[in-house]
Amino acid sequence: MQRVSKRLNTSNHSRDAAGLTYIYPVVSRRAGGVSVGINLNPNNACNWRCIYCQVPELKRGAAPPIDLEKLERELRGFLHELTLGDFMQQQVPPEARTIQDIALSGNGEPTSAKEFEHVIELIGHVKKDFPLPSHLKLVLITNGSLINRPQVQAGLRRMANLNGEVWFKLDSATREGRLRINNSQMSLNRVQANIALAASLCPTWIQTCVFSLNGQPMSDEEVRAYLNFLKDLLQAGVPLKGVLVYGIARASHQPEAKLLSRVDRAWFDQFCGQIRQLGLEVKQSY
């Protein structure tokens, strides 16, 4: 495995940091330590185009065919370096030297991979062979648009048996907001149905990115729609784990990058407080 050229930190999420195709290390703010990233979209293709996305040369599309043998070799080699080698001592700051999760994220929508279920099975098989922490999670970071696919649902069922969690993207609860932020035309009814389906198969968190656009944070109308959407989910009995709220910490590689900035800390804290008032757990990363 190629050595990472400089010590990792929360601002360095380079997908080629380890010189591998599918595996990359991250010091994650949200995870609170080292996250072993699995990138199923090395072709930089996604079915959405979020305006805050850090992927350069992002294009519309799906994951390419996954070389499962290569993925297994890379995952085994990297977990060996993490658990038995000196990677932690050489590349990770002392306060973050714990493996928190294995996360399917990367440069596009991971559930677009046709081999998704087999990837989850492979991860479960490999992790048994290493002295990993008992608290280690398997995390799927997803826009949730493809949850209706049978192979995705089968993968989520497998994830539930591997201490798995779904982090389901919800940046807006209005049609206009999702079109503006995510370039997605998925209906609110479909979003609600997919969240309910995900939560029925595997523990699920809502994941929301907040930022200012043209110097303005989410409008009062957008905030009301968002909170009402969460209320509707709770009233429908959807068993959400909670909400992950985070601000932008790294530069977007999309055309709208210059229009984006961090929200004021007071606004951020107030927004998180409004979600907590609904009775949901909130984990925040400003």
Side-chain angles (χ1 to χ4, degrees):
M1 184 183 72
Q2 179 178 316
R3 279 293 182 190
V4 178
S5 60
K6 61 181 179 180
R7 177 163 286 194
L8 295 173
N9 56 59
T10 56
S11 297
N12 177 18
H13 285 204
S14 174
R15 306 297 194 239
D16 60 1
L20 303 173
T21 299
Y22 297 114
I23 306 299
Y24 64 98
V26 165
V27 175
S28 170
R29 292 182 301 150
R30 280 168 283 168
V34 173
S35 176
V36 179
I38 297 182
N39 179 17
L40 299 183
N41 302 75
N43 60 347
N44 294 4
C46 188
N47 63 337
W48 285 18
R49 189 189 70 79
C50 300
I51 61 176
Y52 54 78
C53 182
Q54 298 96 18
V55 176
E57 300 178 4
L58 182 70
K59 61 185 178 182
R60 290 279 188 167
I66 305 301
D67 184 338
L68 293 171
E69 292 185 0
K70 184 174 186 179
L71 173 57
E72 180 170 355
R73 286 197 306 273
E74 290 190 357
L75 182 57
R76 286 188 179 278
F78 193 69
L79 289 179
H80 183 275
E81 284 290 321
L82 279 179
T83 58
L84 302 172
D86 63 355
F87 184 90
M88 287 286 201
Q89 288 69 33
Q90 296 295 324
Q91 309 295 340
V92 180
E95 68 276 9
R97 288 175 186 167
T98 177
I99 308 171
Q100 294 291 72
D101 62 42
I102 297 173
L104 291 132
S105 179
N107 290 8
E109 174 51 44
T111 61
S112 66
K114 293 180 179 180
E115 303 86 354
F116 181 77
E117 179 186 2
H118 301 299
V119 169
I120 302 301
E121 184 178 12
L122 181 156
I123 295 168
H125 177 69
V126 169
K127 67 191 289 286
K128 292 178 182 177
D129 295 337
F130 293 91
L132 297 168
S134 59
H135 67 260
L136 182 131
K137 293 185 179 296
L138 176 57
V139 175
L140 169 65
I141 301 175
T142 178
N143 62 33
S145 60
L146 306 176
I147 297 294
N148 58 311
R149 292 184 174 181
Q151 69 267 27
V152 177
Q153 295 176 43
L156 294 189
R157 291 189 187 96
R158 290 184 180 273
M159 281 185 60
N161 295 321
L162 295 170
N163 198 27
E165 287 184 350
V166 176
W167 294 3
F168 194 115
K169 182 190 299 291
L170 177 69
D171 296 324
S172 172
T174 70
R175 186 176 185 276
E176 297 77 16
R178 289 193 304 283
L179 188 59
R180 180 174 59 251
I181 297 170
N182 310 120
N183 284 270
S184 167
Q185 299 193 36
M186 191 164 73
S187 73
L188 193 61
N189 286 338
R190 173 53 60 188
V191 175
Q192 185 172 20
N194 284 7
I195 291 173
L197 179 55
S200 73
L201 299 171
C202 186
T204 297
W205 293 78
I206 298 294
Q207 176 186 244
T208 300
C209 181
V210 295
F211 51 88
S212 288
L213 181 62
N214 286 316
Q216 297 298 318
M218 189 186 301
S219 69
D220 292 344
E221 179 184 357
E222 281 280 346
V223 171
R224 282 194 298 271
Y226 179 92
L227 296 173
N228 286 335
F229 181 77
L230 293 182
K231 287 180 186 176
D232 290 344
L233 288 174
L234 294 175
Q235 290 173 359
V238 177
L240 294 176
K241 295 290 290 181
V243 183
L244 307 169
V245 184
Y246 68 105
I248 54 174
R250 292 170 287 132
S252 167
H253 276 81
Q254 305 310 307
E256 299 87 351
K258 292 182 180 179
L259 305 178
L260 307 179
S261 59
R262 302 182 78 178
V263 295
D264 179 78
R265 182 60 190 256
W267 188 98
F268 183 87
D269 290 341
Q270 181 183 24
F271 179 67
C272 292
Q274 289 175 292
I275 300 171
R276 288 192 180 96
Q277 288 176 4
L278 302 178
L280 285 164
E281 180 179 355
V282 177
K283 294 182 181 180
Q284 59 190 79
S285 301
Y286 179 69

